[in-house]
Amino acid sequence: MTTGLADLERELERFPSSVVDEFRRAAEKLGPRLSEFDVNSWAKQGVDIAKQTVRSWEAAAEYFRSSPEVLELLNATQLLEWGRHGSALCQESPSLAVSFFRASPRAFQSLRPRNMQIWANLGKGFYRGTWKSSALSAKFFEISGPVLETASFAELESFAGLMDLVAHKSADLAAECMAMGETVLPRVGNDRPAFIRLCRAVAEANWREVKGCFEAVPKVTAFVQEGQRARFMDMTADMAKSGMPNISLFIHDSATSLGRASAAAQGRFLELAQELIPRSNEAAAAFLRNAPSLIGRVSESQVEAWYDYGLRILMDNLDGGMAYFRIESNTSEQVIEALSSAVELDRIADILRMYCRGLAGAEVDIANSKDMAGKNIGWVSEDHATTEGTTVYLPPEMNKFGSKDENFSFFKVVSTHQVAHIEFGSFDFDFDAKGNRFQDTRHTREQEALQEKQARLEARRQQQGQSQAPGQLLNRPDVQEGEILLTPGLAALEAAQEGQVPQTDGAASAERGYLTDMGRFFDMFPIRKLALDLFTVLEDTRLDYRVKAEYPGVAPAYRRIQADALSQRPDIKEMALQEAMVEFLVRFSLNQHKNLPVPTEFIDQAAVIAEVAKRLLHTDAVVEDTAEAALRVYDIIAKMPNQEMEEEDWSEMDVSEQEIPEEQLENLLEQMREMAGAGQGQMGEEEEGEEYESPPQVDFRGDFKPELSQILNTLRQQAGQGGQQSGQQQMPLEMLEQMLANSAELELDAESGEFNADLAAFVQNLVKEAGSQPGTQQPGQGYGPIPHQEEEGSSLESKDPKTFVYDEWDFRAGDYKPRWCIVREKPMAEGDTRFYTETVHAYGRLMNQIRRQFEMLMPEEYRKVKHLPDGDDFDLDAVIESIIDKWAGLSPTEKVHWRRNKIERDVAVAFLLDMSASTAEAIDESRRVEDWDAPDDPVEYMIWLRSRRGEGARRTYKRIIDLEKESIVLLIHALETVGDTYGIYGFSGYGRENVEFYVIKDMEETFNERIKRRVDKVTPLHATRMGPAIRHTIAKLEEQEKRTKLLILLSDGRPQDRGYSREGVEKEYAVHDTKMAFVEARRKGITPFALTVDKAGHDYLKTMCQDMGYEVLGDINSLPSRLPMLYRKLTF
Amino acid sequence: MTTPAKGTRSVYREFLIEEYTVEEEPFYVPVGDEIGLFEAAYEQKIPVLLKGPTGCGKTRFVEHMAWRLGRPVSHITGAGGNGEMRGKSIPLITVACHEDLTASDLVGRYLLEGEETKWIDGPLTRAVKVGAICYLDEVVEARKDTTVLIHPLTDHRRLLPIEKRGQVLYADDGFLLCMSYNPGYQSALKDLKQSTRQRFVALEFDYPDRDVEARVIEHESGVNAPIALSLAKLGEKVRNLKDYGLQEGASTRLLIYAGKLIKQGISPRRACQCSVVWGVTDDGEVQRSMEEIISSIFE
């Protein structure tokens, strides 16, 4: 170590020891690699730094520590230059230098030494003498290294420029962004320049949003295709420049949304959006946000068509265009709907429901198949159609085919098929009923099956050397599966053993322990699944034939869909034999009668099977025939080994059109049975080969579960009979469980524990389902309950009962915002009748007067109308006059008849009370004095106190709403005299999701005490969103079949509500929506009338009511007397 | 009978109402024992109330009965009848009831003629005189005070007071009062009073079942049997929609109209649309549903 160095070292000893330590460590490493001169210069530099200011020793320590690493990347000259830059920074602030030195080793991995100075200056640029700014510049140095690993220095520079810009506004924000930049910049990849441009644009427009930008950008990289990101960001930058707010939200939303589109589509959408920017940023944003989600409903080219239409609107009407692209206008929805080939169940459910009801002649409902799966009562498939006898479940959407018509006809075919189950009696299977096409062999087969089981049980018992009675065997816990042991079966067995002849009456099945006839039937088969599949496919064969015969009109579509289903069948040759034979039948049922692939070895059997199936192709075939056919086919197939066949073992066969005579068929079947019996010797009872698995089901036929359906119907009947039946008739749950455990229709996992739990839950559900009769949907009420999905600013759905969705009129867009408001209807709470009675007393005189006037209306109806050319009879006076005229040589009048004016009152009226907060205002300011004087007398005081507590602060002044209430009371009185149908409703609410609609008296309700009590509870609440309330009242009035319908709105001012205008402040929006609601009323034959107590009401009422009637009450106090009079005037 | 003025060409056929008789056997397929019941009621002079939805064949049934009852010669003793009428149908006087139907409209009124008044008998009076079947179609439509008028005619008295002339008119033996009534309009306003309806024996009518209806359609419209059956099937399906959007099912009459259009060469789907769908409802959704049913049934 040279003296120079030693001196320097000594100088360093003045500083904290870490400095010297670092120096020594570094010197050791540098010594061998630098010339002595350079080492000295280096050390000197360090000492200089240390000596600069009080805390600069920290920088020096960092300098020494980093030097060895830095030297790995720089040469000696550069090292010294580096030191100089550091030193310069240290003069600004030691902490700057510290971070500079500390960040250097990493930075120089990618930083060219020639950029060193610029880099240092960039860092220095952030420093403005404050602690925050020094932290910022420290952060900059820190991230430079990582950033430069992917980015170029120029990019780092522009990033720094951006940060500088932000830092001018807020150092904190800049620091946060900087920190995010470290991760975000590498992620953005090659689109960094675009990203920085975007951020710059945002920063210039609204610096607060920059951070959001940083946060949102990962979405871009995650969702937007690589090639499109730069374009996307540049476009966003353009939007930012033109002043669009909420950029980060836009980036977030539109990027997520774009993610749903393909790369090519993304590009196209961006181009389209770009075109929109000059016209409206908002429209462009909305377009990007929504367009990709349309894919799926419509094709990409159709999205463009939708765009074009919107562009035209936009050029015409900016607001309309924006609403269009936000899909907040009906036009927009309609255009999409028209373009789309997809058919949504919701839209056609009503049509299909009626269609199905028409065909079936029974109460049939249409529901989403998701609902069925959700019930957990055995139907599991969400996408397949099914029915359980009262409801047809259909998939929520169909877009399989290219056009709307085809997709609709798919729905139609599916529902026709499902209804056919109901119409042609699939669920009416009666074990004891006769078929039309086959002889009954069920009963003999049942006996055989029972004997077989008995024999097997016997064998088992002997095997185990036990001599238990069969009854005890019943309770054995170790009864193994696969033995086809089930309690009901055994019960029947017992009965058989005791020599009881099976009863044949209808209830026999239930008595013998079978829940359903279907269950009894399937119980005969060892391989229940096979039996079920055969029954299903044969029943479908029967129904498809029957439908095509009964409904020739639907046949072409039916055949098309059958052909489509056929083309999607799996390769039969890869199936095991039994499955292949079922598949053979499936194909046969789908009209493939030629070139059916069949295993060569079993071609005879296949021919017989086809022969059996063919017998179902008759209009008089019934479900019992299906059962018989299933029985016969089962006998053949169950004897086959369930193995896969070799490719060369297959040949093709045609099924002839000709049907062979029944006798011949029975003979053939007998032969088959014998053949199988002979073959049994070789193969044995327990076939080798796999367990039978069902081939995939045919799409349009859906899930067919005859047994479950029958169970459900039985349960429903029981539920319907209720308590009338004695307990024993009711199905015990355990028994139900057992039945179901055995059913092949359930696909529960057989892991025993779970299985039982599932089953129990399932049985519960089933019983519940049966108890709660088929869900009744109220027709025609709003849009009905649909699964809820709420998004900011989008359409709303009503999901609770008694909630209704209504459109709202956007006057600037000139179109409705679809499903914009939710009206929640609730009954008014009940209070005291005192208000009512007090009012009656207070207005006693007026009330009598009104009543008299109303009573006088009655005879008016039957007034004679005279001087008519034709009528009930001659008007004697007129006749005499006429004759006198004639004799006098004048031309006599022909109008000599009279008639009774037979106009009967046929009026329905709805009163709509404004219950907004403003109705709490006192009508007379001067009288607004609270009665705070407590009585002196203690007894009186207690009464006073109680009444105060009971009713809340009791007012001595009258509020507007009190007058509204009083007039309602008077009116009720009057209306009861005339006998008009009337309803009284109040409304208020907060926001479009919460339009509260209180029923004080519904149209159908008769007047009673409760209504008196409800009037009491009418109190001022929140805001006044009139439109939806009016629309809901219209809906109520529409149900009334009256000649004259009136809607009278009682309010205290203009409509207003949170967001009841586009920007929340425009009063016009609310006024226009209300006006439109009135117009709707007019269109529906309802006469609207607005009565307001707002003295300033004339201005907006003129707009709101244009040609409708309205009245502004000058003197509020006259309201109670005015309203009944007005009503009289309006209805006569 | 036809009384064209001499020397003019008869371009229309005109009858006095009490002389109108059904000349040819009206086609009617009995569904149950309604013919026997009506004959028995006629024999016993019990007024008959025909209940049933519109277009199911009530009027046709009355026509048929008028013709059928007229065949035996002995039945005709009508005052207004002459020799010619023997062996023919009983006169059938049909009054379509409407809201403004007054007592005068039924009984008769004075008319001015020159300087005098002249009494003109109303249709009911005429029927009472000649012993015709007086058929009040859609009687609920008539005003209540009008329906009360027929009370004395419908019980043992069988007389018609003619207030304005201060007369009482006994009914001819051949006279029978017959009303039709569609209980479908279940409005409190349009219901028959108990005191009125309990004066009648009621025959309930409904749309016939598919096969009978097919026969009727085939006969009336002249279409071939398969089309008639399809139309009957359509009728059945559409009637299933009653109360689910339809107030009334499609009547046999409409189905016959459809058949007639088909006979004229209109395509079945279109014919059904015009006659059945649009005839029955104005509701777009229901129309669509029905059209789907039609397009399922007809190719």
Side-chain angles (χ1 to χ4, degrees):
Chain A
M1 195 172 281
T2 59
T3 37
L5 215 53
D7 289 344
L8 289 169
E9 193 180 328
R10 242 186 326 277
E11 276 191 64
L12 286 174
E13 276 162 7
R14 291 195 288 142
F15 302 104
S17 61
S18 63
V19 182
V20 187
D21 293 348
E22 290 293 346
F23 170 73
R24 288 194 189 121
R25 230 173 285 152
E28 224 163 90
K29 286 186 191 154
L30 292 179
R33 299 178 50 193
L34 292 175
S35 67
E36 198 173 319
F37 176 76
D38 285 339
V39 172
N40 271 332
S41 316
W42 168 78
K44 181 84 174 48
Q45 183 76 61
V47 175
D48 286 349
I49 291 172
K51 283 199 282 193
Q52 269 180 7
T53 58
V54 186
R55 300 193 53 89
S56 62
W57 59 267
E58 287 170 6
E62 202 57 50
Y63 170 72
F64 293 132
R65 188 185 303 142
S66 301
S67 293
E69 281 180 74
V70 171
L71 191 62
E72 305 270 310
L73 305 158
L74 304 181
N75 60 31
T77 334
Q78 288 161 341
L79 179 73
L80 294 176
E81 190 194 341
W82 173 69
R84 277 199 300 282
H85 290 312
S87 172
L89 284 172
C90 193
Q91 278 164 9
E92 295 282 333
S93 155
S95 62
L96 241 57
V98 169
S99 41
F100 173 74
F101 290 132
R102 193 180 289 155
S104 291
R106 182 138 186 221
F108 284 119
Q109 309 242 347
S110 340
L111 183 72
R112 300 238 178 90
R114 61 183 155 85
N115 290 328
M116 195 192 312
Q117 181 169 12
I118 310 175
W119 183 55
N121 285 340
L122 283 176
K124 196 163 87 183
F126 287 110
Y127 184 66
R128 290 189 188 83
T130 61
W131 178 84
K132 271 185 185 169
S133 62
S134 80
L136 189 63
S137 86
K139 191 76 199 167
F140 172 74
F141 287 125
E142 189 190 323
I143 65 152
S144 296
V147 167
L148 283 171
E149 272 163 30
T150 49
S152 72
F153 186 75
E155 285 161 3
L156 181 70
E157 260 188 293
S158 59
F159 178 68
L162 168 69
M163 288 300 113
D164 195 45
L165 188 72
V166 178
H168 274 291
K169 306 288 186 187
S170 158
D172 285 339
L173 185 69
E176 278 180 76
C177 292
M178 200 101 80
M180 279 189 279
E182 182 178 349
T183 50
V184 169
L185 283 174
R187 263 195 173 177
V188 178
N190 293 327
D191 302 310
R192 277 179 303 266
F195 173 65
I196 292 165
R197 277 198 299 277
L198 164 65
C199 291
R200 227 190 148 83
V202 173
E204 278 161 9
N206 183 359
W207 56 274
R208 281 192 181 80
E209 292 229 34
V210 175
K211 185 183 166 200
C213 245
F214 273 84
E215 284 167 344
V217 154
K219 288 276 176 199
V220 177
T221 53
F223 291 112
V224 182
Q225 295 290 325
E226 185 131 27
Q228 306 299 341
R229 286 177 203 156
R231 175 188 258 160
F232 176 75
M233 289 190 281
D234 282 339
M235 197 190 77
T236 315
D238 285 346
M239 290 165 118
K241 274 180 206 153
S242 56
M244 194 177 81
N246 251 333
I247 287 284
S248 51
L249 186 71
F250 163 74
I251 296 175
H252 184 276
D253 285 357
S254 47
T256 319
S257 153
L258 273 174
R260 284 179 236 171
S262 67
Q266 287 187 356
R268 186 69 192 126
F269 289 156
L270 288 170
E271 271 172 40
L272 293 175
Q274 199 103 43
E275 283 176 40
L276 285 177
I277 291 180
R279 292 181 212 285
S280 160
N281 281 325
E282 212 177 313
F287 171 75
L288 272 189
R289 217 169 280 178
N290 289 321
S293 62
L294 293 180
I295 288 193
R297 280 178 79 184
V298 298
S299 73
E300 280 170 25
S301 60
Q302 283 166 333
V303 173
E304 287 194 37
W306 175 73
Y307 168 90
D308 288 340
Y309 197 98
L311 189 63
R312 254 174 285 150
I313 295 183
L314 188 70
M315 291 196 284
D316 216 35
N317 171 354
L318 199 61
D319 288 298
M322 286 195 281
Y324 179 92
F325 283 113
R326 279 198 300 262
I327 319 190
E328 283 173 9
S329 76
N330 277 356
T331 321
S332 184
E333 291 258 17
Q334 279 157 10
V335 171
I336 296 166
E337 178 60 26
L339 287 170
S340 162
S341 65
V343 175
E344 287 163 47
L345 180 62
D346 285 345
R347 289 186 190 271
I348 54 161
D350 286 341
I351 294 166
L352 285 179
R353 185 173 300 125
M354 242 173 299
Y355 173 77
C356 291
R357 273 178 187 162
L359 292 195
E363 181 99 11
V364 180
D365 210 348
I366 296 284
N368 196 321
S369 49
K370 283 207 170 79
D371 297 349
M372 190 58 166
K375 280 180 181 169
N376 185 23
I377 53 170
W379 281 265
V380 287
S381 167
E382 289 193 1
D383 305 321
H384 287 112
T386 185
T387 179
E388 33 68 295
T390 56
T391 307
V392 175
Y393 292 87
L394 295 170
E397 197 190 71
M398 179 46 61
N399 201 4
K400 196 170 169 181
F401 303 96
S403 77
K404 249 197 170 62
D405 284 350
E406 281 174 293
N407 285 318
F408 178 78
S409 66
F410 178 86
F411 269 124
K412 189 172 162 185
V413 166
V414 171
S415 12
T416 311
H417 180 86
Q418 296 302 333
V419 168
H421 280 304
I422 302 170
E423 190 181 2
F424 303 120
S426 290
F427 305 117
D428 300 340
F429 175 72
D430 181 352
F431 196 90
D432 297 313
K434 289 246 176 300
N436 292 332
R437 310 289 310 164
F438 290 99
Q439 281 173 355
D440 180 4
T441 54
R442 270 163 283 162
H443 288 92
T444 44
R445 270 304 300 271
E446 187 180 34
Q447 288 301 318
E448 281 171 26
L450 287 175
Q451 277 160 17
E452 213 170 288
K453 276 181 204 171
Q454 195 185 351
R456 253 191 283 182
L457 279 176
E458 206 65 40
R460 262 174 64 90
R461 204 158 53 202
Q462 281 171 5
Q463 236 176 25
Q464 296 180 354
Q466 289 170 346
S467 54
Q468 278 176 316
Q472 283 168 295
L473 198 75
L474 242 179
N475 300 325
R476 284 170 42 109
D478 58 328
V479 172
Q480 281 167 18
E481 234 188 306
E483 266 301 316
I484 324 114
L485 277 191
L486 71 160
T487 320
L490 276 171
L493 178 64
E494 259 185 296
Q497 278 178 332
E498 284 161 30
Q500 289 174 354
V501 185
Q503 289 159 308
T504 43
D505 59 281
S509 294
E511 281 169 29
R512 257 180 297 179
Y514 293 104
L515 193 47
T516 61
D517 285 23
M518 214 65 246
R520 181 175 164 197
F521 176 72
F522 285 128
D523 203 30
M524 302 191 314
F525 302 98
I527 313 174
R528 282 180 80 118
K529 206 172 195 174
L530 176 61
L532 172 66
D533 284 347
L534 287 173
F535 182 81
T536 305
V537 65
L538 287 167
E539 179 69 0
D540 286 336
T541 312
R542 180 179 81 92
L543 292 180
D544 282 359
Y545 177 81
R546 188 77 189 269
V547 167
K548 280 183 282 182
E550 291 275 332
Y551 303 110
V554 84
Y558 215 103
R559 273 192 285 271
R560 197 170 61 234
I561 282 158
Q562 279 187 325
D564 179 66
L566 186 62
S567 70
Q568 286 175 14
R569 296 306 299 170
D571 187 3
I572 191 170
K573 294 179 185 173
E574 286 174 4
M575 293 185 182
L577 191 52
Q578 290 183 344
E579 287 143 36
M581 291 317 282
V582 175
E583 177 64 23
F584 166 78
L585 266 179
V586 170
R587 288 171 184 232
F588 176 80
S589 76
L590 290 172
N591 277 350
Q592 189 184 3
H593 292 189
K594 297 261 180 283
N595 307 331
L596 280 158
V598 180
T600 319
E601 194 186 331
F602 295 97
I603 200 156
D604 292 342
Q605 279 90 336
V608 177
I609 291 173
E611 210 52 54
V612 171
K614 232 166 21 175
R615 298 192 71 79
L616 294 172
L617 303 182
H618 286 270
T619 43
D620 62 346
V622 290
V623 66
E624 285 78 16
D625 289 316
T626 307
E628 289 294 330
L631 200 63
R632 285 162 173 76
V633 176
Y634 178 88
D635 282 347
I636 301 173
I637 294 182
K639 294 289 191 296
M640 294 180 181
N642 197 26
Q643 291 164 329
E644 278 185 35
M645 306 295 283
E646 295 298 322
E647 179 71 35
E648 61 272 17
D649 291 340
W650 290 81
S651 50
E652 291 188 342
M653 67 171 279
D654 294 348
V655 180
S656 70
E657 294 290 315
Q658 289 289 313
E659 204 173 280
I660 56 169
E662 179 158 9
E663 211 168 300
Q664 203 181 332
L665 177 65
E666 290 298 331
N667 283 337
L668 274 172
L669 284 166
E670 196 50 46
Q671 280 175 20
M672 289 287 148
R673 230 167 276 152
E674 276 163 23
M675 264 170 62
Q680 225 171 353
Q682 300 155 9
M683 300 188 217
E685 204 20 42
E686 288 81 35
E687 311 284 1
E688 68 262 48
E690 304 139 45
E691 201 183 322
Y692 171 78
E693 288 290 334
S694 307
Q697 56 189 355
V698 180
D699 243 8
F700 77 95
R701 287 174 180 163
D703 271 355
F704 176 50
K705 296 189 189 294
E707 191 180 351
L708 265 182
S709 302
Q710 279 202 336
I711 290 178
L712 201 55
N713 280 339
T714 314
L715 287 173
R716 275 187 185 146
Q717 273 165 18
Q718 285 179 348
Q721 284 158 359
Q724 295 174 345
Q725 294 290 324
S726 58
Q728 80 184 91
Q729 286 277 345
Q730 293 281 342
M731 190 75 48
L733 284 187
E734 300 76 40
M735 189 169 152
L736 196 60
E737 272 183 40
Q738 211 138 12
M739 302 275 352
L740 292 169
N742 220 44
S743 169
E745 292 170 13
L746 285 184
E747 287 172 30
L748 298 171
D749 287 325
E751 281 180 34
S752 51
E754 207 175 308
F755 179 83
N756 284 335
D758 274 4
L759 195 63
F762 166 76
V763 168
Q764 291 289 342
N765 289 338
L766 198 63
V767 173
K768 207 169 78 195
E769 171 68 15
S772 75
Q773 280 301 308
T776 46
Q777 282 196 320
Q778 288 178 307
Q781 297 202 325
Y783 293 91
I786 310 161
H788 188 70
Q789 214 178 25
E790 196 176 320
E791 273 180 328
E792 180 65 28
S794 72
S795 308
L796 298 166
E797 309 275 9
S798 71
K799 52 174 180 171
D800 304 324
K802 287 280 180 192
T803 60
F804 307 84
V805 188
Y806 292 96
D807 297 352
E808 190 166 278
W809 178 255
D810 182 349
F811 80 103
R812 300 180 65 184
D815 200 343
Y816 284 98
K817 290 180 169 178
R819 298 167 168 231
W820 203 250
C821 300
I822 289 190
V823 172
R824 298 175 193 278
E825 184 180 321
K826 32 191 138 181
M828 178 62 80
E830 286 170 28
D832 211 304
T833 54
R834 202 179 329 155
F835 180 85
Y836 187 89
T837 37
E838 276 173 11
T839 311
V840 172
H841 280 293
Y843 288 91
R845 234 174 59 83
L846 178 62
M847 198 155 251
N848 282 333
Q849 212 180 319
I850 292 170
R851 173 180 281 214
R852 239 191 339 269
Q853 274 170 330
F854 270 69
E855 271 166 357
M856 268 157 53
L857 299 174
M858 301 294 289
E860 274 178 7
E861 304 163 18
Y862 290 109
R863 220 180 341 178
K864 264 185 188 175
V865 180
K866 297 186 177 183
H867 301 290
L868 294 174
D870 189 17
D872 287 357
D873 211 336
F874 286 117
D875 178 356
L876 206 55
D877 295 341
V879 172
I880 291 168
E881 210 173 308
S882 157
I883 290 170
I884 291 170
D885 280 352
K886 202 176 167 191
W887 284 350
L890 303 169
S891 68
T893 172
E894 285 165 7
K895 297 177 179 173
V896 293
H897 293 84
W898 61 262
R899 182 166 52 201
R900 280 192 198 285
N901 192 3
K902 198 199 54 62
I903 299 161
E904 282 171 57
R905 276 189 74 79
D906 196 16
V907 182
V909 60
F911 292 92
L912 202 49
L913 290 191
D914 177 358
M915 286 163 59
S916 61
S918 51
T919 53
E921 272 174 38
I923 41 177
D924 189 350
E925 292 293 331
S926 61
R927 273 190 276 167
R928 191 174 178 171
V929 187
E930 280 282 1
D931 177 16
W932 282 112
D933 300 332
D936 295 331
D937 181 73
V939 180
E940 269 182 49
Y941 176 78
M942 285 314 288
I943 296 167
W944 176 81
L945 192 68
R946 206 171 298 142
S947 75
R948 276 188 72 88
R949 283 193 184 143
E951 305 219 2
R954 208 167 162 73
R955 292 159 304 271
T956 52
Y957 62 95
K958 261 189 191 166
R959 303 166 301 172
I960 295 174
I961 195 126
D962 295 324
L963 278 174
E964 283 187 11
K965 285 158 74 174
E966 285 174 0
S967 21
I968 284 301
V969 171
L970 292 186
L971 203 66
I972 287 177
H973 235 71
L975 287 168
E976 286 298 322
T977 321
V978 197
D980 289 350
T981 309
Y982 67 102
I984 301 170
Y985 308 97
F987 72 99
S988 182
Y990 185 67
R992 67 190 178 101
E993 313 84 353
N994 280 306
V995 181
E996 291 156 352
F997 191 87
Y998 294 95
V999 177
I1000 299 159
K1001 178 188 173 298
D1002 218 341
M1003 291 283 182
E1004 291 81 18
E1005 254 177 307
T1006 45
F1007 180 66
N1008 56 36
E1009 286 291 307
R1010 301 179 62 186
I1011 288 159
K1012 291 184 185 174
R1013 280 193 226 121
R1014 284 188 204 144
V1015 174
D1016 185 42
K1017 280 288 175 185
V1018 176
T1019 42
L1021 294 166
H1022 316 290
T1024 331
R1025 203 183 192 96
M1026 285 181 184
I1030 293 171
R1031 290 190 180 93
H1032 189 59
T1033 318
I1034 293 173
K1036 288 204 166 273
L1037 276 169
E1038 267 197 293
E1039 290 167 18
Q1040 299 296 320
E1041 285 180 16
K1042 298 281 177 188
R1043 189 163 33 223
T1044 315
K1045 295 179 191 178
L1046 275 171
L1047 192 164
I1048 298 180
L1049 173 74
L1050 222 63
S1051 81
D1052 71 321
R1054 61 167 69 246
Q1056 57 198 29
D1057 185 17
R1058 172 175 64 90
Y1060 199 28
S1061 66
R1062 191 194 309 281
E1063 265 79 51
V1065 284
E1066 295 166 28
K1067 296 167 178 172
E1068 265 175 284
Y1069 178 88
V1071 169
H1072 276 91
D1073 177 51
T1074 310
K1075 177 191 162 190
M1076 191 44 88
F1078 280 145
V1079 171
E1080 286 162 32
R1082 260 282 156 83
R1083 283 190 200 134
K1084 289 175 179 160
I1086 296 164
T1087 315
F1089 192 93
L1091 185 61
T1092 184
V1093 294
D1094 182 5
K1095 278 177 192 154
H1098 279 291
D1099 65 331
Y1100 62 89
L1101 273 170
K1102 213 174 266 171
T1103 330
M1104 214 160 84
C1105 304
Q1106 278 184 350
D1107 54 344
M1108 333 259 165
Y1110 72 91
E1111 190 169 306
V1112 180
L1113 272 189
D1115 176 14
I1116 296 175
N1117 283 305
S1118 68
L1119 181 69
S1121 58
R1122 181 66 194 143
L1123 188 61
M1125 290 305 130
L1126 187 74
Y1127 178 72
R1128 228 193 95 192
K1129 214 175 80 189
L1130 281 173
T1131 53
F1132 301 102
Chain B
M1 302 310 297
T2 47
T3 50
K6 277 198 176 109
T8 57
R9 198 159 53 96
S10 167
V11 285
Y12 52 85
R13 295 202 298 160
E14 198 178 51
F15 300 91
L16 287 175
I17 54 169
E18 61 267 45
E19 287 177 1
Y20 168 72
T21 52
V22 183
E23 284 172 55
E24 282 178 26
E25 177 181 0
F27 179 79
Y28 184 79
V29 184
V31 181
D33 57 353
E34 69 270 25
I35 289 181
L37 281 171
F38 194 94
E39 277 173 345
Y42 185 76
E43 206 62 45
Q44 289 296 322
K45 304 187 175 66
I46 309 171
V48 179
L49 174 65
L50 307 178
K51 291 164 75 174
T54 179
C56 70
K58 297 187 295 287
T59 305
R60 176 58 67 89
F61 174 68
V62 174
E63 283 179 3
H64 180 82
M65 289 317 295
W67 174 83
R68 176 181 282 264
L69 291 169
R71 277 182 307 172
V73 182
S74 59
H75 273 163
I76 302 299
T77 53
N82 51 32
E84 267 180 33
M85 283 190 59
R86 287 175 181 276
K88 288 213 173 161
S89 141
I90 312 178
L92 175 63
I93 295 176
T94 305
V95 180
C97 299
H98 53 86
E99 289 182 335
D100 287 330
L101 188 80
T102 59
S104 317
D105 290 334
L106 282 178
V107 177
R109 53 163 49 100
Y110 280 109
L111 293 181
L112 277 177
E113 209 172 86
E115 284 159 30
E116 297 176 345
T117 53
K118 188 191 171 196
W119 174 258
I120 297 289
D121 280 341
L124 183 63
T125 313
R126 289 174 178 215
V128 166
K129 282 181 177 169
V130 302
I133 293 178
C134 182
Y135 178 50
L136 302 178
D137 205 356
E138 301 288 4
V139 75
V140 278
E141 294 290 340
R143 271 166 47 175
K144 292 208 171 87
D145 55 332
T146 314
T147 37
V148 174
L149 183 85
I150 59 171
H151 284 191
L153 265 180
T154 49
D155 51 27
H156 62 279
R157 292 171 284 177
R158 278 172 73 78
L159 51 83
L160 177 67
I162 305 176
E163 221 178 314
K164 289 192 180 136
R165 306 182 77 187
Q167 291 176 340
V168 168
L169 185 65
Y170 274 96
D172 181 271
D173 274 354
F175 171 78
L176 184 78
L177 191 67
C178 187
M179 313 196 306
S180 81
Y181 162 58
N182 183 349
Y185 310 128
Q186 265 154 359
S187 154
L189 282 174
K190 297 199 169 152
D191 204 4
L192 269 187
K193 284 203 297 188
Q194 282 297 323
S195 61
T196 306
R197 61 191 296 170
Q198 290 198 13
R199 289 163 187 275
F200 291 80
V201 291
L203 294 182
E204 287 225 355
F205 285 72
D206 203 347
Y207 301 116
D209 63 27
R210 197 190 283 188
D211 294 327
V212 174
E213 191 163 32
R215 265 176 64 200
V216 174
I217 296 169
E218 190 182 341
H219 178 275
E220 292 289 308
S221 65
V223 291
N224 61 26
I227 290 184
L229 189 65
S230 293
L231 283 169
K233 196 190 291 173
L234 172 65
E236 184 185 304
K237 303 298 175 198
V238 170
R239 282 163 209 152
N240 285 338
L241 289 179
K242 196 181 167 209
D243 298 333
Y244 295 114
L246 278 190
Q247 286 179 323
E248 285 277 329
S251 63
T252 309
R253 183 168 45 222
L254 277 185
L255 296 175
I256 291 168
Y257 289 171
K260 285 179 172 170
L261 290 181
I262 294 170
K263 180 77 181 166
Q264 287 300 311
I266 310 277
S267 84
R269 285 187 181 185
R270 183 72 179 149
C272 291
Q273 189 182 39
C274 298
S275 50
V276 180
V277 179
W278 295 345
V280 163
T281 181
D282 299 324
D283 182 316
E285 292 251 297
V286 185
Q287 286 183 348
R288 177 81 195 275
S289 304
M290 288 169 66
E291 280 161 13
E292 291 305 332
I293 294 175
I294 290 167
S295 69
S296 282
I297 293 177
F298 293 99
E299 287 173 63

